[in-house]
Amino acid sequence: MGGEDYTSWRSHFLLLLDRIPTPIAVCRADGEVTVANPAMAAEWGTAPGRLRGHNLQELFRPRAAGRLDRHIEALRLGRRPRHPIEVRWTAGTDGVEREGELLVDPVGDAFPASPMLLAILRVRAEPIPRQMEPRAEVSGVEGHILALAAAGATTAAIGKAVGLTVDGVNYHLTRLTRRWRVPNRTALVAKAYVLGVLSTREWPPAPAPQRTARGACRSTQSPHIPPGRTR
């Protein structure tokens, strides 16, 4: 095929690709996107040219760990896996989780060692609901514990202030850590501020009253003063 014929063929191919409503991308043997049609780019809320240079393994999360990279490696070695890959990705700019099937096949039969790949995405109609944010309400005791932890108090000092043993304090901290899906006490305090559980206008830290759970005991005593004492 001469240079002029190739240019003409490529222009027609790109025009056709742009008109196909199915998300499609042409990739290098390692999964790097060279061309994406508007339908594919729309899944990320961007223009087709902005997907160029991204990798399929970067854009999609397969349900089975490592499935996509194994699939691409098999294609590079000249094998053709039969089944599509179930994938998830974060669509658009609003963070909506979507899922579907990704079909990746070599384009033509040329040079199995470095084939061009055609990736076709079948999008499932219903987006995956985003995981609900943990409830920001806490009990009065939990609010006081968080306020004391934010002030840097030790577990023993927190227990003395709220009338609990060290094990009791650790129990509440562990429950909150699991509820809010954070790894440690520092992250727990940060999450408490983000969720509005702790007031951002007071020092020493204090729980925000509007965030205490309904029916919980709402003590009017400062969380920094042990029970039975006054200022």
Side-chain angles (χ1 to χ4, degrees), residues 170-203:
N170 284 331
Y171 167 77
H172 285 288
L173 289 172
T174 299
R175 283 190 63 193
L176 288 166
T177 296
R178 290 174 178 171
R179 187 192 311 169
W180 293 346
R181 302 186 299 276
V182 292
N184 51 48
R185 185 179 298 194
T186 301
L188 182 65
V189 169
K191 192 74 177 268
Y193 276 111
V194 169
L195 296 177
V197 171
L198 295 178
S199 172
T200 59
R201 299 184 178 184
E202 295 184 58
W203 188 266

PDB file of all heavy atoms in Angstrom, residues 170-203:
ATOM      1  N   ASN A 170      -9.742   1.401  73.939  1.00  0.00           N
ATOM      2  CA  ASN A 170      -9.299   0.730  72.717  1.00  0.00           C
ATOM      3  C   ASN A 170     -10.461   0.093  71.965  1.00  0.00           C
ATOM      4  O   ASN A 170     -10.473   0.050  70.726  1.00  0.00           O
ATOM      5  CB  ASN A 170      -8.253  -0.334  73.049  1.00  0.00           C
ATOM      6  CG  ASN A 170      -6.897   0.278  73.346  1.00  0.00           C
ATOM      7  OD1 ASN A 170      -6.559   1.329  72.827  1.00  0.00           O
ATOM      8  ND2 ASN A 170      -6.122  -0.391  74.196  1.00  0.00           N
ATOM      9  N   TYR A 171     -11.444  -0.392  72.715  1.00  0.00           N
ATOM     10  CA  TYR A 171     -12.629  -0.978  72.076  1.00  0.00           C
ATOM     11  C   TYR A 171     -13.336   0.059  71.210  1.00  0.00           C
ATOM     12  O   TYR A 171     -13.676  -0.198  70.052  1.00  0.00           O
ATOM     13  CB  TYR A 171     -13.574  -1.518  73.151  1.00  0.00           C
ATOM     14  CG  TYR A 171     -14.946  -1.870  72.642  1.00  0.00           C
ATOM     15  CD1 TYR A 171     -15.160  -3.057  71.930  1.00  0.00           C
ATOM     16  CD2 TYR A 171     -16.029  -1.020  72.869  1.00  0.00           C
ATOM     17  CE1 TYR A 171     -16.421  -3.374  71.464  1.00  0.00           C
ATOM     18  CE2 TYR A 171     -17.295  -1.338  72.399  1.00  0.00           C
ATOM     19  CZ  TYR A 171     -17.494  -2.515  71.704  1.00  0.00           C
ATOM     20  OH  TYR A 171     -18.738  -2.833  71.231  1.00  0.00           O
ATOM     21  N   HIS A 172     -13.562   1.249  71.773  1.00  0.00           N
ATOM     22  CA  HIS A 172     -14.247   2.305  71.012  1.00  0.00           C
ATOM     23  C   HIS A 172     -13.406   2.767  69.825  1.00  0.00           C
ATOM     24  O   HIS A 172     -13.938   2.986  68.721  1.00  0.00           O
ATOM     25  CB  HIS A 172     -14.557   3.485  71.930  1.00  0.00           C
ATOM     26  CG  HIS A 172     -15.698   3.245  72.864  1.00  0.00           C
ATOM     27  ND1 HIS A 172     -17.013   3.191  72.439  1.00  0.00           N
ATOM     28  CD2 HIS A 172     -15.736   3.037  74.207  1.00  0.00           C
ATOM     29  CE1 HIS A 172     -17.808   2.973  73.466  1.00  0.00           C
ATOM     30  NE2 HIS A 172     -17.056   2.873  74.567  1.00  0.00           N
ATOM     31  N   LEU A 173     -12.107   2.924  70.036  1.00  0.00           N
ATOM     32  CA  LEU A 173     -11.240   3.364  68.940  1.00  0.00           C
ATOM     33  C   LEU A 173     -11.215   2.335  67.812  1.00  0.00           C
ATOM     34  O   LEU A 173     -11.232   2.692  66.627  1.00  0.00           O
ATOM     35  CB  LEU A 173      -9.828   3.616  69.461  1.00  0.00           C
ATOM     36  CG  LEU A 173      -9.651   4.847  70.359  1.00  0.00           C
ATOM     37  CD1 LEU A 173      -8.243   4.863  70.955  1.00  0.00           C
ATOM     38  CD2 LEU A 173      -9.911   6.136  69.584  1.00  0.00           C
ATOM     39  N   THR A 174     -11.174   1.070  68.171  1.00  0.00           N
ATOM     40  CA  THR A 174     -11.159   0.013  67.151  1.00  0.00           C
ATOM     41  C   THR A 174     -12.465  -0.003  66.370  1.00  0.00           C
ATOM     42  O   THR A 174     -12.474  -0.155  65.143  1.00  0.00           O
ATOM     43  CB  THR A 174     -10.916  -1.358  67.810  1.00  0.00           C
ATOM     44  OG1 THR A 174      -9.654  -1.347  68.473  1.00  0.00           O
ATOM     45  CG2 THR A 174     -10.922  -2.466  66.767  1.00  0.00           C
ATOM     46  N   ARG A 175     -13.584   0.154  67.074  1.00  0.00           N
ATOM     47  CA  ARG A 175     -14.875   0.188  66.392  1.00  0.00           C
ATOM     48  C   ARG A 175     -14.949   1.335  65.393  1.00  0.00           C
ATOM     49  O   ARG A 175     -15.410   1.169  64.259  1.00  0.00           O
ATOM     50  CB  ARG A 175     -16.008   0.333  67.411  1.00  0.00           C
ATOM     51  CG  ARG A 175     -16.357  -0.929  68.157  1.00  0.00           C
ATOM     52  CD  ARG A 175     -17.630  -0.746  68.944  1.00  0.00           C
ATOM     53  NE  ARG A 175     -18.762  -0.486  68.078  1.00  0.00           N
ATOM     54  CZ  ARG A 175     -19.952  -0.042  68.511  1.00  0.00           C
ATOM     55  NH1 ARG A 175     -20.129   0.204  69.799  1.00  0.00           N
ATOM     56  NH2 ARG A 175     -20.944   0.139  67.679  1.00  0.00           N
ATOM     57  N   LEU A 176     -14.492   2.516  65.816  1.00  0.00           N
ATOM     58  CA  LEU A 176     -14.524   3.675  64.921  1.00  0.00           C
ATOM     59  C   LEU A 176     -13.579   3.476  63.741  1.00  0.00           C
ATOM     60  O   LEU A 176     -13.896   3.859  62.604  1.00  0.00           O
ATOM     61  CB  LEU A 176     -14.143   4.936  65.701  1.00  0.00           C
ATOM     62  CG  LEU A 176     -15.200   5.444  66.684  1.00  0.00           C
ATOM     63  CD1 LEU A 176     -14.589   6.469  67.631  1.00  0.00           C
ATOM     64  CD2 LEU A 176     -16.380   6.042  65.938  1.00  0.00           C
ATOM     65  N   THR A 177     -12.417   2.891  64.007  1.00  0.00           N
ATOM     66  CA  THR A 177     -11.451   2.651  62.939  1.00  0.00           C
ATOM     67  C   THR A 177     -12.039   1.729  61.877  1.00  0.00           C
ATOM     68  O   THR A 177     -11.886   1.965  60.670  1.00  0.00           O
ATOM     69  CB  THR A 177     -10.164   2.030  63.512  1.00  0.00           C
ATOM     70  OG1 THR A 177      -9.552   2.974  64.406  1.00  0.00           O
ATOM     71  CG2 THR A 177      -9.175   1.678  62.416  1.00  0.00           C
ATOM     72  N   ARG A 178     -12.726   0.697  62.302  1.00  0.00           N
ATOM     73  CA  ARG A 178     -13.343  -0.229  61.346  1.00  0.00           C
ATOM     74  C   ARG A 178     -14.534   0.411  60.643  1.00  0.00           C
ATOM     75  O   ARG A 178     -14.743   0.220  59.446  1.00  0.00           O
ATOM     76  CB  ARG A 178     -13.784  -1.501  62.075  1.00  0.00           C
ATOM     77  CG  ARG A 178     -12.606  -2.363  62.549  1.00  0.00           C
ATOM     78  CD  ARG A 178     -13.081  -3.532  63.377  1.00  0.00           C
ATOM     79  NE  ARG A 178     -11.960  -4.381  63.787  1.00  0.00           N
ATOM     80  CZ  ARG A 178     -12.070  -5.372  64.663  1.00  0.00           C
ATOM     81  NH1 ARG A 178     -13.255  -5.643  65.233  1.00  0.00           N
ATOM     82  NH2 ARG A 178     -11.009  -6.080  64.981  1.00  0.00           N
ATOM     83  N   ARG A 179     -15.334   1.165  61.388  1.00  0.00           N
ATOM     84  CA  ARG A 179     -16.520   1.787  60.806  1.00  0.00           C
ATOM     85  C   ARG A 179     -16.147   2.769  59.705  1.00  0.00           C
ATOM     86  O   ARG A 179     -16.806   2.855  58.671  1.00  0.00           O
ATOM     87  CB  ARG A 179     -17.315   2.511  61.898  1.00  0.00           C
ATOM     88  CG  ARG A 179     -18.669   3.057  61.415  1.00  0.00           C
ATOM     89  CD  ARG A 179     -19.285   4.007  62.427  1.00  0.00           C
ATOM     90  NE  ARG A 179     -19.292   3.464  63.774  1.00  0.00           N
ATOM     91  CZ  ARG A 179     -19.592   4.196  64.849  1.00  0.00           C
ATOM     92  NH1 ARG A 179     -19.885   5.477  64.733  1.00  0.00           N
ATOM     93  NH2 ARG A 179     -19.566   3.647  66.048  1.00  0.00           N
ATOM     94  N   TRP A 180     -15.070   3.522  59.932  1.00  0.00           N
ATOM     95  CA  TRP A 180     -14.673   4.551  58.968  1.00  0.00           C
ATOM     96  C   TRP A 180     -13.576   4.082  58.024  1.00  0.00           C
ATOM     97  O   TRP A 180     -13.098   4.843  57.198  1.00  0.00           O
ATOM     98  CB  TRP A 180     -14.226   5.812  59.714  1.00  0.00           C
ATOM     99  CG  TRP A 180     -15.356   6.487  60.437  1.00  0.00           C
ATOM    100  CD1 TRP A 180     -16.691   6.264  60.292  1.00  0.00           C
ATOM    101  CD2 TRP A 180     -15.242   7.510  61.428  1.00  0.00           C
ATOM    102  NE1 TRP A 180     -17.425   7.071  61.125  1.00  0.00           N
ATOM    103  CE2 TRP A 180     -16.552   7.849  61.843  1.00  0.00           C
ATOM    104  CE3 TRP A 180     -14.163   8.169  62.012  1.00  0.00           C
ATOM    105  CZ2 TRP A 180     -16.808   8.826  62.798  1.00  0.00           C
ATOM    106  CZ3 TRP A 180     -14.413   9.137  62.968  1.00  0.00           C
ATOM    107  CH2 TRP A 180     -15.727   9.472  63.357  1.00  0.00           C
ATOM    108  N   ARG A 181     -13.163   2.816  58.158  1.00  0.00           N
ATOM    109  CA  ARG A 181     -12.201   2.207  57.244  1.00  0.00           C
ATOM    110  C   ARG A 181     -10.908   3.021  57.151  1.00  0.00           C
ATOM    111  O   ARG A 181     -10.487   3.456  56.083  1.00  0.00           O
ATOM    112  CB  ARG A 181     -12.823   2.038  55.855  1.00  0.00           C
ATOM    113  CG  ARG A 181     -14.084   1.189  55.851  1.00  0.00           C
ATOM    114  CD  ARG A 181     -14.583   0.932  54.453  1.00  0.00           C
ATOM    115  NE  ARG A 181     -14.930   2.157  53.771  1.00  0.00           N
ATOM    116  CZ  ARG A 181     -16.089   2.783  53.887  1.00  0.00           C
ATOM    117  NH1 ARG A 181     -17.020   2.284  54.695  1.00  0.00           N
ATOM    118  NH2 ARG A 181     -16.350   3.876  53.213  1.00  0.00           N
ATOM    119  N   VAL A 182     -10.290   3.256  58.300  1.00  0.00           N
ATOM    120  CA  VAL A 182      -9.008   3.963  58.362  1.00  0.00           C
ATOM    121  C   VAL A 182      -7.984   3.062  59.057  1.00  0.00           C
ATOM    122  O   VAL A 182      -8.355   2.184  59.833  1.00  0.00           O
ATOM    123  CB  VAL A 182      -9.132   5.310  59.112  1.00  0.00           C
ATOM    124  CG1 VAL A 182      -9.966   6.291  58.306  1.00  0.00           C
ATOM    125  CG2 VAL A 182      -9.745   5.120  60.496  1.00  0.00           C
ATOM    126  N   PRO A 183      -6.673   3.255  58.801  1.00  0.00           N
ATOM    127  CA  PRO A 183      -5.667   2.315  59.299  1.00  0.00           C
ATOM    128  C   PRO A 183      -5.165   2.545  60.717  1.00  0.00           C
ATOM    129  O   PRO A 183      -4.653   1.625  61.340  1.00  0.00           O
ATOM    130  CB  PRO A 183      -4.520   2.490  58.290  1.00  0.00           C
ATOM    131  CG  PRO A 183      -4.645   3.905  57.836  1.00  0.00           C
ATOM    132  CD  PRO A 183      -6.108   4.205  57.812  1.00  0.00           C
ATOM    133  N   ASN A 184      -5.281   3.785  61.245  1.00  0.00           N
ATOM    134  CA  ASN A 184      -4.678   4.044  62.552  1.00  0.00           C
ATOM    135  C   ASN A 184      -5.339   5.233  63.224  1.00  0.00           C
ATOM    136  O   ASN A 184      -6.267   5.851  62.670  1.00  0.00           O
ATOM    137  CB  ASN A 184      -3.166   4.280  62.405  1.00  0.00           C
ATOM    138  CG  ASN A 184      -2.862   5.328  61.350  1.00  0.00           C
ATOM    139  OD1 ASN A 184      -3.461   6.405  61.335  1.00  0.00           O
ATOM    140  ND2 ASN A 184      -1.928   5.024  60.462  1.00  0.00           N
ATOM    141  N   ARG A 185      -4.854   5.574  64.435  1.00  0.00           N
ATOM    142  CA  ARG A 185      -5.478   6.645  65.215  1.00  0.00           C
ATOM    143  C   ARG A 185      -5.328   8.010  64.542  1.00  0.00           C
ATOM    144  O   ARG A 185      -6.248   8.822  64.574  1.00  0.00           O
ATOM    145  CB  ARG A 185      -4.872   6.678  66.628  1.00  0.00           C
ATOM    146  CG  ARG A 185      -5.564   7.684  67.528  1.00  0.00           C
ATOM    147  CD  ARG A 185      -4.985   7.720  68.939  1.00  0.00           C
ATOM    148  NE  ARG A 185      -5.118   6.463  69.633  1.00  0.00           N
ATOM    149  CZ  ARG A 185      -4.941   6.332  70.951  1.00  0.00           C
ATOM    150  NH1 ARG A 185      -4.596   7.376  71.695  1.00  0.00           N
ATOM    151  NH2 ARG A 185      -5.093   5.166  71.529  1.00  0.00           N
ATOM    152  N   THR A 186      -4.177   8.259  63.933  1.00  0.00           N
ATOM    153  CA  THR A 186      -3.974   9.541  63.252  1.00  0.00           C
ATOM    154  C   THR A 186      -4.999   9.740  62.147  1.00  0.00           C
ATOM    155  O   THR A 186      -5.614  10.807  62.030  1.00  0.00           O
ATOM    156  CB  THR A 186      -2.551   9.610  62.666  1.00  0.00           C
ATOM    157  OG1 THR A 186      -1.600   9.463  63.721  1.00  0.00           O
ATOM    158  CG2 THR A 186      -2.315  10.933  61.961  1.00  0.00           C
ATOM    159  N   ALA A 187      -5.190   8.699  61.337  1.00  0.00           N
ATOM    160  CA  ALA A 187      -6.173   8.781  60.265  1.00  0.00           C
ATOM    161  C   ALA A 187      -7.591   8.890  60.817  1.00  0.00           C
ATOM    162  O   ALA A 187      -8.452   9.550  60.235  1.00  0.00           O
ATOM    163  CB  ALA A 187      -6.050   7.561  59.355  1.00  0.00           C
ATOM    164  N   LEU A 188      -7.830   8.249  61.955  1.00  0.00           N
ATOM    165  CA  LEU A 188      -9.148   8.303  62.580  1.00  0.00           C
ATOM    166  C   LEU A 188      -9.493   9.737  62.986  1.00  0.00           C
ATOM    167  O   LEU A 188     -10.602  10.219  62.755  1.00  0.00           O
ATOM    168  CB  LEU A 188      -9.178   7.387  63.801  1.00  0.00           C
ATOM    169  CG  LEU A 188     -10.513   7.281  64.544  1.00  0.00           C
ATOM    170  CD1 LEU A 188     -11.568   6.648  63.669  1.00  0.00           C
ATOM    171  CD2 LEU A 188     -10.330   6.472  65.826  1.00  0.00           C
ATOM    172  N   VAL A 189      -8.548  10.427  63.595  1.00  0.00           N
ATOM    173  CA  VAL A 189      -8.772  11.822  63.993  1.00  0.00           C
ATOM    174  C   VAL A 189      -9.009  12.692  62.767  1.00  0.00           C
ATOM    175  O   VAL A 189      -9.914  13.536  62.741  1.00  0.00           O
ATOM    176  CB  VAL A 189      -7.567  12.339  64.809  1.00  0.00           C
ATOM    177  CG1 VAL A 189      -7.660  13.854  64.990  1.00  0.00           C
ATOM    178  CG2 VAL A 189      -7.517  11.650  66.170  1.00  0.00           C
ATOM    179  N   ALA A 190      -8.205  12.471  61.705  1.00  0.00           N
ATOM    180  CA  ALA A 190      -8.377  13.250  60.478  1.00  0.00           C
ATOM    181  C   ALA A 190      -9.764  13.018  59.887  1.00  0.00           C
ATOM    182  O   ALA A 190     -10.433  13.967  59.452  1.00  0.00           O
ATOM    183  CB  ALA A 190      -7.297  12.881  59.473  1.00  0.00           C
ATOM    184  N   LYS A 191     -10.218  11.775  59.890  1.00  0.00           N
ATOM    185  CA  LYS A 191     -11.545  11.450  59.346  1.00  0.00           C
ATOM    186  C   LYS A 191     -12.640  12.088  60.187  1.00  0.00           C
ATOM    187  O   LYS A 191     -13.661  12.548  59.662  1.00  0.00           O
ATOM    188  CB  LYS A 191     -11.730   9.935  59.294  1.00  0.00           C
ATOM    189  CG  LYS A 191     -12.946   9.464  58.498  1.00  0.00           C
ATOM    190  CD  LYS A 191     -12.714   9.609  57.018  1.00  0.00           C
ATOM    191  CE  LYS A 191     -13.893   9.080  56.221  1.00  0.00           C
ATOM    192  NZ  LYS A 191     -13.781   7.673  55.844  1.00  0.00           N
ATOM    193  N   ALA A 192     -12.441  12.133  61.499  1.00  0.00           N
ATOM    194  CA  ALA A 192     -13.428  12.758  62.379  1.00  0.00           C
ATOM    195  C   ALA A 192     -13.623  14.231  62.026  1.00  0.00           C
ATOM    196  O   ALA A 192     -14.743  14.752  62.042  1.00  0.00           O
ATOM    197  CB  ALA A 192     -13.006  12.604  63.834  1.00  0.00           C
ATOM    198  N   TYR A 193     -12.525  14.928  61.701  1.00  0.00           N
ATOM    199  CA  TYR A 193     -12.643  16.326  61.286  1.00  0.00           C
ATOM    200  C   TYR A 193     -13.332  16.438  59.928  1.00  0.00           C
ATOM    201  O   TYR A 193     -14.192  17.298  59.714  1.00  0.00           O
ATOM    202  CB  TYR A 193     -11.260  16.981  61.235  1.00  0.00           C
ATOM    203  CG  TYR A 193     -10.781  17.484  62.570  1.00  0.00           C
ATOM    204  CD1 TYR A 193      -9.718  16.871  63.230  1.00  0.00           C
ATOM    205  CD2 TYR A 193     -11.391  18.581  63.184  1.00  0.00           C
ATOM    206  CE1 TYR A 193      -9.267  17.325  64.467  1.00  0.00           C
ATOM    207  CE2 TYR A 193     -10.948  19.047  64.422  1.00  0.00           C
ATOM    208  CZ  TYR A 193      -9.893  18.423  65.056  1.00  0.00           C
ATOM    209  OH  TYR A 193      -9.463  18.889  66.284  1.00  0.00           O
ATOM    210  N   VAL A 194     -12.972  15.560  58.991  1.00  0.00           N
ATOM    211  CA  VAL A 194     -13.569  15.603  57.658  1.00  0.00           C
ATOM    212  C   VAL A 194     -15.072  15.375  57.721  1.00  0.00           C
ATOM    213  O   VAL A 194     -15.855  16.027  57.015  1.00  0.00           O
ATOM    214  CB  VAL A 194     -12.900  14.547  56.740  1.00  0.00           C
ATOM    215  CG1 VAL A 194     -13.687  14.380  55.446  1.00  0.00           C
ATOM    216  CG2 VAL A 194     -11.469  14.948  56.428  1.00  0.00           C
ATOM    217  N   LEU A 195     -15.501  14.459  58.583  1.00  0.00           N
ATOM    218  CA  LEU A 195     -16.922  14.134  58.706  1.00  0.00           C
ATOM    219  C   LEU A 195     -17.678  15.112  59.600  1.00  0.00           C
ATOM    220  O   LEU A 195     -18.888  14.978  59.767  1.00  0.00           O
ATOM    221  CB  LEU A 195     -17.086  12.711  59.254  1.00  0.00           C
ATOM    222  CG  LEU A 195     -16.552  11.593  58.351  1.00  0.00           C
ATOM    223  CD1 LEU A 195     -16.701  10.248  59.039  1.00  0.00           C
ATOM    224  CD2 LEU A 195     -17.279  11.585  57.021  1.00  0.00           C
ATOM    225  N   GLY A 196     -16.983  16.066  60.176  1.00  0.00           N
ATOM    226  CA  GLY A 196     -17.659  17.047  61.010  1.00  0.00           C
ATOM    227  C   GLY A 196     -17.973  16.576  62.404  1.00  0.00           C
ATOM    228  O   GLY A 196     -18.770  17.204  63.108  1.00  0.00           O
ATOM    229  N   VAL A 197     -17.354  15.471  62.822  1.00  0.00           N
ATOM    230  CA  VAL A 197     -17.588  14.960  64.173  1.00  0.00           C
ATOM    231  C   VAL A 197     -16.913  15.851  65.207  1.00  0.00           C
ATOM    232  O   VAL A 197     -17.429  16.055  66.299  1.00  0.00           O
ATOM    233  CB  VAL A 197     -17.090  13.507  64.282  1.00  0.00           C
ATOM    234  CG1 VAL A 197     -17.112  13.027  65.724  1.00  0.00           C
ATOM    235  CG2 VAL A 197     -17.954  12.598  63.417  1.00  0.00           C
ATOM    236  N   LEU A 198     -15.745  16.382  64.862  1.00  0.00           N
ATOM    237  CA  LEU A 198     -15.026  17.286  65.753  1.00  0.00           C
ATOM    238  C   LEU A 198     -15.141  18.717  65.236  1.00  0.00           C
ATOM    239  O   LEU A 198     -15.091  18.956  64.028  1.00  0.00           O
ATOM    240  CB  LEU A 198     -13.550  16.886  65.844  1.00  0.00           C
ATOM    241  CG  LEU A 198     -13.254  15.523  66.484  1.00  0.00           C
ATOM    242  CD1 LEU A 198     -11.753  15.247  66.454  1.00  0.00           C
ATOM    243  CD2 LEU A 198     -13.778  15.463  67.914  1.00  0.00           C
ATOM    244  N   SER A 199     -15.288  19.625  66.146  1.00  0.00           N
ATOM    245  CA  SER A 199     -15.397  21.042  65.777  1.00  0.00           C
ATOM    246  C   SER A 199     -14.062  21.551  65.256  1.00  0.00           C
ATOM    247  O   SER A 199     -13.002  21.256  65.811  1.00  0.00           O
ATOM    248  CB  SER A 199     -15.824  21.866  66.994  1.00  0.00           C
ATOM    249  OG  SER A 199     -15.756  23.246  66.694  1.00  0.00           O
ATOM    250  N   THR A 200     -14.105  22.312  64.189  1.00  0.00           N
ATOM    251  CA  THR A 200     -12.877  22.894  63.617  1.00  0.00           C
ATOM    252  C   THR A 200     -12.600  24.286  64.174  1.00  0.00           C
ATOM    253  O   THR A 200     -11.632  24.926  63.773  1.00  0.00           O
ATOM    254  CB  THR A 200     -12.997  22.985  62.088  1.00  0.00           C
ATOM    255  OG1 THR A 200     -14.136  23.793  61.754  1.00  0.00           O
ATOM    256  CG2 THR A 200     -13.151  21.606  61.470  1.00  0.00           C
ATOM    257  N   ARG A 201     -13.427  24.760  65.102  1.00  0.00           N
ATOM    258  CA  ARG A 201     -13.281  26.125  65.618  1.00  0.00           C
ATOM    259  C   ARG A 201     -12.871  26.169  67.079  1.00  0.00           C
ATOM    260  O   ARG A 201     -12.921  27.228  67.700  1.00  0.00           O
ATOM    261  CB  ARG A 201     -14.601  26.885  65.438  1.00  0.00           C
ATOM    262  CG  ARG A 201     -15.018  27.018  63.981  1.00  0.00           C
ATOM    263  CD  ARG A 201     -16.275  27.848  63.856  1.00  0.00           C
ATOM    264  NE  ARG A 201     -16.660  28.016  62.462  1.00  0.00           N
ATOM    265  CZ  ARG A 201     -17.681  28.764  62.053  1.00  0.00           C
ATOM    266  NH1 ARG A 201     -18.416  29.403  62.964  1.00  0.00           N
ATOM    267  NH2 ARG A 201     -17.974  28.857  60.775  1.00  0.00           N
ATOM    268  N   GLU A 202     -12.513  25.025  67.645  1.00  0.00           N
ATOM    269  CA  GLU A 202     -12.190  24.997  69.074  1.00  0.00           C
ATOM    270  C   GLU A 202     -10.846  24.337  69.328  1.00  0.00           C
ATOM    271  O   GLU A 202     -10.435  23.430  68.612  1.00  0.00           O
ATOM    272  CB  GLU A 202     -13.269  24.222  69.846  1.00  0.00           C
ATOM    273  CG  GLU A 202     -14.642  24.877  69.814  1.00  0.00           C
ATOM    274  CD  GLU A 202     -15.630  24.128  70.678  1.00  0.00           C
ATOM    275  OE1 GLU A 202     -15.354  23.989  71.887  1.00  0.00           O
ATOM    276  OE2 GLU A 202     -16.656  23.674  70.156  1.00  0.00           O
ATOM    277  N   TRP A 203     -10.163  24.838  70.341  1.00  0.00           N
ATOM    278  CA  TRP A 203      -8.971  24.180  70.875  1.00  0.00           C
ATOM    279  C   TRP A 203      -8.930  24.417  72.361  1.00  0.00           C
ATOM    280  O   TRP A 203      -9.098  25.550  72.796  1.00  0.00           O
ATOM    281  CB  TRP A 203      -7.682  24.720  70.238  1.00  0.00           C
ATOM    282  CG  TRP A 203      -6.517  23.880  70.677  1.00  0.00           C
ATOM    283  CD1 TRP A 203      -5.689  24.134  71.727  1.00  0.00           C
ATOM    284  CD2 TRP A 203      -6.104  22.647  70.114  1.00  0.00           C
ATOM    285  NE1 TRP A 203      -4.772  23.132  71.857  1.00  0.00           N
ATOM    286  CE2 TRP A 203      -4.997  22.195  70.878  1.00  0.00           C
ATOM    287  CE3 TRP A 203      -6.565  21.863  69.052  1.00  0.00           C
ATOM    288  CZ2 TRP A 203      -4.356  21.000  70.602  1.00  0.00           C
ATOM    289  CZ3 TRP A 203      -5.904  20.682  68.785  1.00  0.00           C
ATOM    290  CH2 TRP A 203      -4.805  20.254  69.556  1.00  0.00           C
TER     291      TRP A 203
END
